Amino acid sequence: MTRYLNEFRPTRRLLMGPGPCNIHPRVLQVMAETCQGHLDPEVTRAMVDISDMLRIVLGTGNEATLAVSGTGSAAMESAVFNVIEPGDKMLVAVNGYFGERLAEVASRAGADVHKVEFPWGKPVQADAVAAELKRLGKVKVVGMVHAETSTGVLSPPAAVANVAHEHGAILLMDAVTSVGGMEVALDKWGVDVCYSGPQKCLGIPPGIAPISMGPRAEEVYKNRKTKVVSYYLDIGLLKEYWMPPHKYHHTGPANLIYAMREGLRMIMQEGLEKRFARHAKNAASLRAGLEAMGMKLFAEPASRLNSLTTVWIPEGVNDAKTRSTLLNEYNLEIGGGLGPVAGRVWRIGLMSDSSHPANIFACLSALEEVMLRQGYEIPRGAGLAAAQKALVS
Ligand SMILES: *Cc1c(COP(=O)(O)O)cnc(C)c1O
């Protein structure tokens, strides 16, 4: 029998990696509704609702706030392509994998890219960015990653925005792993361009990604001498489609637009403050559990993400074996390390719907069992007890 004639039924997994997170049935159900045309008034109405809710989640009044039809990486490219022209100087603060990717995207856009590097696991430091800006002279765009998913580290946007503006540059920020799970306040912080992703703390399946451009960035866009290299990701064209008059630009993914509207509506119903508090509390519980199991956390306390926890893999425990056992026997996905910490850390996500005490308990007990099997000695139940205690305290 030819394999492709078999029905495809994806196994239900518990998703506790660096994204995607588990998607709420309400969001999945709306995706199974009828597909409408990309200019159907019901679809365009949903697009306008999405912009309104994205402004709340991003903490901005930016008119140019919409979603690109593509993943977080498409939104990253759109952000860069719209403000960069060939030869422009861009300084990227790199403290992990996604900072590197941002620099790579900028170089493909023809930017004269400079990097200011920080060790993996450490946050970006504004004074080092300032020193580099002083040395470089005229820089058009500074790029940074708010929540570095490769290391679980949070960096300070307001401080970096300040130094960027002092040197006449705009700040472009990746907020893929923070938006919806931790505070993002573009206007208060002075972030000029920001993009995110749906499948991390917004609880929406991949394929549609937020972007927002403030007045300074729109000015940069308006003053371009060359066309944006990508027709598909040109913010001016995207705005004409996403906002009235809703001019055809590409066939917007109607079912993903429904999903994004429903996911954002769930966030509005929960309330941002409550949602951030939930992510914070559950992260504290997971960290307490891991530490009680004798493991060391990778990021420093002051810069840890609530959406993603990085932990050193203990001596004698096999990374690949552990993760494949978790997946195959427990239907549990956690993430491995990237770059210099590949094979040395795990990345455990508590994003959106996945940020729930039951998932923490499931993860800690499965991890305990799999590590015990490999000869790692842990007092039985110590992780669970500490995680429970952190939740009630
Ligand atoms: C996941 C992620 C991206 C890329 O998003 P995709 O949806 O995988 O394209 C970019 N930046 C950060 C910080 C991420 O975590």
Side-chain angles (χ1 to χ4, degrees):
M1 168 96 155
T2 322
R3 206 175 68 175
Y4 56 66
L5 290 175
N6 295 338
E7 188 184 15
F8 179 72
R9 303 235 68 179
T11 302
R12 279 171 192 252
R13 312 273 199 208
L14 178 51
L15 299 181
M16 297 180 71
C21 62
N22 284 111
I23 307 298
H24 194 280
R26 261 173 63 182
V27 175
L28 293 174
Q29 261 157 22
V30 78
M31 288 183 79
E33 296 290 341
T34 187
C35 180
Q36 290 182 329
H38 53 288
L39 295 174
D40 191 292
E42 293 180 6
V43 173
T44 54
R45 180 72 238 163
M47 285 150 62
V48 172
D49 293 343
I50 287 171
S51 289
D52 288 345
M53 291 188 280
L54 282 178
R55 288 188 192 99
I56 296 170
V57 176
L58 294 167
T60 184
N62 290 345
E63 192 221 356
T65 301
L66 49 82
V68 302
S69 305
T71 72
S73 304
M76 181 193 283
E77 295 207 331
S78 183
V80 172
F81 292 174
N82 279 291
V83 293
I84 287 292
E85 293 187 71
D88 286 343
K89 254 189 215 169
M90 176 162 171
L91 176 63
V92 184
V94 177
N95 65 334
Y97 177 89
F98 289 101
E100 284 288 353
R101 181 180 292 189
L102 189 54
E104 168 68 17
V105 166
S107 85
R108 286 172 187 238
D112 173 16
V113 181
H114 298 261
K115 295 190 230 177
V116 51
E117 305 203 44
F118 303 89
W120 282 52
K122 298 278 190 289
V124 170
Q125 286 189 316
D127 48 1
V129 176
E132 198 57 17
L133 282 169
K134 199 176 262 173
R135 200 181 66 78
L136 287 170
K138 180 144 185 57
V139 169
K140 190 179 190 187
V141 180
V142 173
M144 74 176 288
V145 178
H146 183 216
E148 194 27 278
T149 320
S150 60
T151 59
V153 166
L154 190 72
S155 288
V160 180
N162 278 341
V163 302
H165 295 157
E166 271 167 28
H167 288 82
I170 59 169
L171 178 66
L172 183 157
M173 183 174 86
D174 175 316
V176 175
T177 292
S178 49
V179 171
M182 300 180 77
E183 189 198 15
V184 173
L186 301 186
D187 292 359
K188 187 169 90 186
W189 294 343
V191 178
D192 301 296
V193 189
C194 178
Y195 60 89
S196 187
Q199 74 273 23
K200 309 214 176 160
C201 301
L202 291 172
I204 299 158
I208 185 163
I211 184 167
S212 183
M213 279 177 62
R216 271 183 292 250
E218 288 227 73
E219 201 55 34
V220 166
Y221 173 83
K222 277 192 205 107
N223 292 332
R224 294 181 65 97
K225 293 190 181 60
T226 59
K227 282 188 186 173
V228 174
V229 66
S230 166
Y231 179 86
Y232 189 56
L233 298 172
D234 183 315
I235 194 78
L237 301 176
L238 288 171
K239 269 170 74 179
E240 285 182 335
Y241 168 49
W242 198 268
M243 289 154 192
H246 302 298
K247 210 170 119 188
Y248 167 67
H249 171 252
H250 67 279
T251 306
N255 300 59
L256 274 170
I257 289 170
Y258 313 154
M260 180 167 253
R261 189 187 183 284
E262 188 63 9
L264 289 167
R265 189 166 82 95
M266 289 189 69
I267 295 176
M268 296 300 114
Q269 288 172 330
E270 180 176 8
L272 280 181
E273 292 308 318
K274 267 198 176 157
R275 190 176 173 90
F276 298 156
R278 168 166 68 86
H279 280 77
K281 187 167 199 174
N282 289 335
S285 166
L286 174 65
R287 291 177 201 130
L290 293 168
E291 286 186 316
M293 287 164 70
M295 300 164 85
K296 283 192 64 181
L297 300 177
F298 179 64
E300 287 160 8
S303 56
R304 286 175 189 158
L305 298 182
N306 293 334
S307 42
L308 186 78
T309 295
T310 37
V311 61
W312 289 104
I313 301 171
E315 202 78 42
V317 173
N318 184 290
D319 173 33
K321 201 156 99 191
T322 303
R323 283 190 293 121
S324 68
T325 308
L326 289 176
L327 190 72
N328 296 325
E329 293 184 21
Y330 291 87
N331 284 324
L332 168 63
E333 178 181 282
I334 66 167
L338 291 173
V341 286
R344 299 171 65 206
V345 301
W346 286 318
R347 296 182 296 153
I348 305 178
L350 290 173
M351 301 172 178
S352 299
D353 239 38
S354 293
S355 177
H356 190 286
N359 296 344
I360 300 168
F361 302 154
C363 176
L364 291 174
S365 50
L367 204 52
E368 173 179 303
E369 196 275 322
V370 176
M371 293 204 300
L372 279 167
R373 255 197 258 173
Q374 293 179 49
Y376 179 71
E377 293 190 20
I378 335 161
R380 280 228 177 242
L384 271 180
Q388 286 167 346
K389 192 160 164 252
L391 282 173
V392 294
S393 64

